[in-house]
Amino acid sequence: MLHRSGRLAAEFSVLPGLFGALAHGPDAMADLGRVGRLLARVDPDEIRHHHPDATPLTVTVSGHGTLDVLTGPLTAELARHGIPLRAVLGDHDSWRRDLQDTSSPLYAKDTDLSLIVLDSAHVLDELPLPWRVSDAAEAIGAKLKLITRLVEAYVAEASGTLVLNTLPLLTTQLRQLVDHRSRTELSVLWREFNTGLLRLALDHPRVHVVDLEPLVAESGPVRDTRLAVYTKEHLGSELLGRYAREVAHLARAVRGRTKKVLVVDLDNTLWDGILGDDGPDGIALSGTYRGEAFAAFQRVVKQLGSQGVLLAVCSKNDQEPVERVLADHPDMVLRPEDFVAVTANWRPKDGNLRDIAARLNLGIDSLVFADDSPFECGLVASGVPEVAVVRLDEEPALHIDRLLADGWFDTRELTEADRQRAGQYRADAGRRELLDTAATMEEYLQALDVRVTVAAVTEPDIPRISQITLRTNQFNLTTRRLQPDDVRRLLDSPRHLVLAVRSQDRFGDNGVVGAVFAECTDDGLRIDNVLLSCRVFARGIEQAALGALLAHARTAGATAAWASYRPTAKNHKVRDFYPSLGFETVAEGADGVLDFRHDLTQLPPVPPHVTLDATFDS
């Protein structure tokens, strides 16, 4: 209906919910491919005109076979995450030329992802006739060397992320060898080739390799043999649909849209039964046919929590019995210390989710909500559409598959700060208690004993600094996303300052909570961006860090500092950050961009409750 009425661009914000409902239906890949083809006809710039924060993602697609079928599912999967697609398709079998030619679209500065879709024909089409395993070994080795060389050239010259994939080996290819020993040798060679491709992603942060093997296990046949012969579609539409989903998960991480919190229901979600009706002894987590499935689900939830995903409970129950079960039930895998928030009451869940987000000082779109009730899932989907909803049902054996299907928590690289995140949020309970007992905010801050360290970023800090730029949306003055290589390039520039901001207080060490990017220019210091984790808002950390930088600039001989603010849907709270530190507004653009100047005569003082330690490279 939206397509027929010409309202797809205007109503783009409702598509994530609509496409999300299709994504787990019985014909999900076919349905998403169909609606994606309709959406692909819409100019992505028209979508952005109606939705300024829906910045199109430019994706180039190149390969060996026919790949037109990829556009539909890729458009739909990106739309599920609020990202319009601008696709640039290469010519048939142009992958090598596109990677070699630095003037090709793959190397354009506005290209975000460059997809090189590989298939077994890349290797086997080059074999002589007849061929032996030794011929395959030679071809496989040469192809891996070629791809490695082209990847290294891309990483050196391009600014986007290169996406490769492993190659499925088909039975019709393997069975051309009639002896089992030769088949085994070829299988070993093939796996070593795929391992070599996967290692490219370990060696180069801006290279990502989609492993097709688990996707093939889910999707069935790799291809339709007839289409492979007649139209050169070497990968089938079902497999390409699942590949598109993996690419969309990567795109979400690149755009800083990784989810941060998993909120789970309890009754028939974490355990079998209704606590209010069955009592603590009546719910099952192990020892029963269904209970084992719930225990397995809890283990997966705990595994996610160990990697920085914050866990919370939102249940229609009474608080005290819930806390008792979490603490004392002998079969519980998850315990109170695994959760940063436990909300059990009889209020509507959409409101409770808003409260949880506020308590954690996170945007509501940071949450993923998993529940077995169709009513509750529908209520949340309509009441807080920003929340990703995982719709479980009465079959607990499928809970794990449904929770993991959309990769909501996928990130480019896990940092030590991720592993410590849950403990840091739990420490906030002590801070809230201190705040509740303090007579004034000044008294609270003084008692908190905030200590801030500002220092140049070092190599071990790079993944965390990149992650801050990718995931921080509220306190982010320009919302420029940086991959690790981008941070490293700034570090290598003698004109740039890249600073890590750390904080600790009486309740513990918060680690790296912010970053400052600046450049020395002919007219003074240009502050490119300032970022701060939402965990540590309103403690004077940002004022202390910027005050230290401005003092350093004046000492180094600068006569002025310049900065800008670029508005987004989420950073409006920091619009007045620079003026609060004595910056003067010197220009305002039609798009809301503000330019500021500080004459460095009267510097902002370090807040009296903050102990500051700032060091700068000369």
Side-chain angles (χ1 to χ4, degrees):
M1 185 171 65
L2 292 176
H3 168 68
R4 287 196 299 269
S5 62
R7 293 190 294 119
L8 276 174
E11 301 294 337
F12 184 76
S13 61
V14 308
L15 297 185
L18 296 176
F19 289 5
L22 291 176
H24 302 292
D27 299 309
M29 295 304 156
D31 291 340
L32 286 173
R34 185 170 58 255
V35 297
R37 287 191 293 274
L38 295 177
L39 182 59
R41 301 174 189 173
V42 178
D43 184 345
D45 290 325
E46 183 183 356
I47 295 173
R48 192 177 188 187
H49 172 74
H50 292 281
H51 308 276
D53 286 317
T55 303
L57 188 86
T58 300
V59 179
T60 63
V61 181
S62 189
H64 179 63
T66 301
L67 295 169
D68 294 350
V69 70
L70 180 59
T71 303
L74 189 57
T75 302
E77 292 290 354
L78 286 171
R80 290 185 60 204
H81 308 299
I83 303 173
L85 171 65
R86 177 178 286 113
V88 181
L89 298 180
D91 296 331
H92 176 77
D93 198 19
S94 64
W95 70 277
R96 180 172 178 171
R97 183 178 70 249
D98 290 342
L99 270 175
Q100 288 176 323
D101 183 4
T102 57
S103 63
S104 75
L106 276 67
Y107 289 85
K109 287 187 176 181
D110 62 347
T111 294
D112 298 294
L113 300 180
S114 295
L115 311 186
I116 302 295
V117 184
L118 306 172
D119 58 75
S120 58
H122 276 82
V123 175
L124 298 180
D125 280 1
E126 298 181 8
L127 295 181
L129 187 66
W131 59 275
R132 298 182 178 182
V133 172
S134 58
D135 298 311
E138 184 178 348
I140 286 171
K143 188 66 66 176
L144 184 58
K145 287 181 181 179
L146 171 64
I147 293 174
T148 300
R149 187 169 67 252
L150 294 174
V151 164
E152 290 172 348
Y154 180 91
V155 170
E157 298 292 337
S159 59
T161 295
L162 182 65
V163 182
L164 307 174
N165 59 272
T166 58
L167 279 61
L169 179 62
L170 304 178
T171 55
T172 54
Q173 296 160 340
L174 188 64
R175 290 171 182 169
Q176 293 178 39
L177 299 168
V178 298
D179 66 296
H180 290 169
R181 181 177 180 84
S182 293
R183 290 179 185 176
T184 301
E185 289 176 349
L186 180 60
S187 294
V188 170
L189 288 168
W190 207 264
R191 283 164 175 78
E192 289 175 346
F193 175 70
N194 282 332
T195 298
L197 290 176
L198 290 166
R199 289 193 183 281
L200 290 173
L202 298 180
D203 295 338
H204 305 287
R206 285 194 296 109
V207 175
H208 182 80
V209 179
V210 178
D211 190 355
L212 292 190
E213 184 175 340
L215 304 186
V216 170
E218 288 184 336
S219 64
V222 171
R223 66 179 189 178
D224 182 315
T225 303
R226 294 166 300 175
L227 293 177
V229 172
Y230 296 131
T231 68
K232 307 305 180 186
E233 293 183 20
H234 299 304
L235 298 176
S237 59
E238 173 82 7
L239 179 57
L240 285 177
R242 295 185 184 276
Y243 167 86
R245 182 164 297 181
E246 295 298 312
V247 172
H249 297 171
L250 171 64
R252 190 176 59 218
V254 168
R255 280 289 170 87
R257 299 190 178 191
T258 296
K259 303 293 186 179
K260 300 176 181 178
V261 189
L262 172 59
V263 186
V264 292
D265 177 43
L266 296 177
D267 296 332
N268 291 322
T269 295
L270 284 194
W271 55 60
D272 189 20
I274 307 295
L275 178 60
D277 294 340
D278 304 322
D281 295 332
I283 61 175
L285 286 143
S286 62
T288 69
Y289 180 73
R290 284 169 54 86
E292 293 292 344
F294 288 97
F297 182 66
Q298 284 202 30
R299 286 193 289 272
V300 170
V301 171
K302 191 178 184 76
Q303 170 68 12
L304 294 177
S306 73
Q307 299 168 87
V309 178
L310 302 178
L311 305 180
V313 166
C314 181
S315 172
K316 283 193 172 177
N317 264 300
D318 292 321
Q319 185 81 17
E320 192 274 334
V322 164
E323 292 178 347
R324 194 163 60 243
V325 167
L326 292 178
D328 301 332
H329 196 289
D331 296 330
M332 283 291 296
V333 177
L334 293 162
R335 292 299 183 184
E337 59 270 18
D338 292 309
F339 297 99
V340 296
V342 176
T343 299
N345 57 44
W346 299 96
R347 296 195 297 270
K349 288 190 177 182
D350 54 346
N352 280 336
L353 290 176
R354 292 187 187 277
D355 291 343
I356 290 172
R359 198 182 321 165
L360 299 176
N361 205 13
L362 293 170
I364 190 68
D365 61 347
S366 298
L367 275 56
V368 175
F369 174 65
D371 198 312
D372 68 295
S373 165
F375 170 79
E376 300 293 357
C377 289
L379 174 70
V380 170
S382 60
V384 276
E386 304 92 339
V387 173
V389 176
V390 177
R391 302 170 190 268
L392 308 176
D393 60 18
E394 66 278 0
E395 178 47 79
L398 298 178
H399 282 9
I400 294 172
D401 291 347
R402 288 178 175 151
L403 175 63
L404 301 180
D406 286 311
W408 293 115
F409 307 106
D410 287 5
T411 185
R412 293 294 299 275
E413 182 177 356
L414 203 64
T415 68
E416 190 56 35
D418 293 320
R419 300 185 189 277
Q420 298 173 357
R421 182 173 294 115
Q424 292 170 342
Y425 271 90
R426 284 193 295 270
D428 283 343
R431 297 182 180 98
R432 286 194 297 271
E433 184 177 345
L434 177 63
L435 178 61
D436 291 341
T437 58
T440 64
M441 179 60 72
E442 290 75 16
E443 180 182 316
Y444 161 70
L445 292 172
Q446 195 64 45
L448 193 57
D449 187 21
V450 179
R451 283 156 281 166
V452 176
T453 301
V454 180
V457 166
T458 60
E459 182 69 26
D461 297 326
I462 290 176
R464 172 59 178 158
I465 295 298
S466 169
Q467 185 184 70
I468 287 175
T469 73
L470 293 172
R471 302 179 99 181
T472 301
N473 296 307
Q474 296 182 64
F475 202 114
N476 190 335
L477 275 296
T478 60
T479 319
R480 182 186 175 195
R481 311 297 185 184
L482 300 175
Q483 301 299 328
D485 276 0
D486 299 321
V487 177
R488 195 171 282 109
R489 276 196 293 270
L490 293 174
L491 281 177
D492 292 340
S493 167
R495 295 176 63 89
H496 283 85
L497 276 173
V498 185
L499 305 174
V501 181
R502 293 172 168 83
S503 80
Q504 55 183 315
D505 56 39
R506 62 182 286 185
F507 294 100
D509 188 347
N510 292 300
V512 177
V513 295
V516 180
F517 298 87
E519 180 183 4
C520 301
T521 64
D522 294 338
D523 58 351
L525 182 75
R526 162 62 61 176
I527 301 173
D528 295 324
N529 203 5
V530 181
L531 307 100
L532 188 71
S533 169
C534 55
R535 287 191 292 112
V536 294
F537 281 3
R539 299 179 195 173
I541 295 170
E542 61 274 28
Q543 292 94 327
L546 259 293
L549 176 60
L550 295 178
H552 171 70
R554 186 168 72 177
T555 301
T559 58
W562 305 82
S564 296
Y565 162 77
R566 298 184 181 279
T568 68
K570 297 181 181 178
N571 72 355
H572 61 276
K573 292 182 180 179
V574 295
R575 186 179 190 274
D576 296 326
F577 172 64
Y578 286 125
S580 72
L581 298 180
F583 281 78
E584 174 189 3
T585 304
V586 294
E588 181 171 0
D591 54 358
V593 174
L594 300 175
D595 293 323
F596 303 99
R597 181 182 184 276
H598 198 294
D599 61 14
L600 301 181
T601 56
Q602 187 167 351
L603 301 179
V606 176
H609 64 273
V610 172
T611 301
L612 175 66
D613 179 12
T615 57
F616 299 88
D617 287 343
S618 58

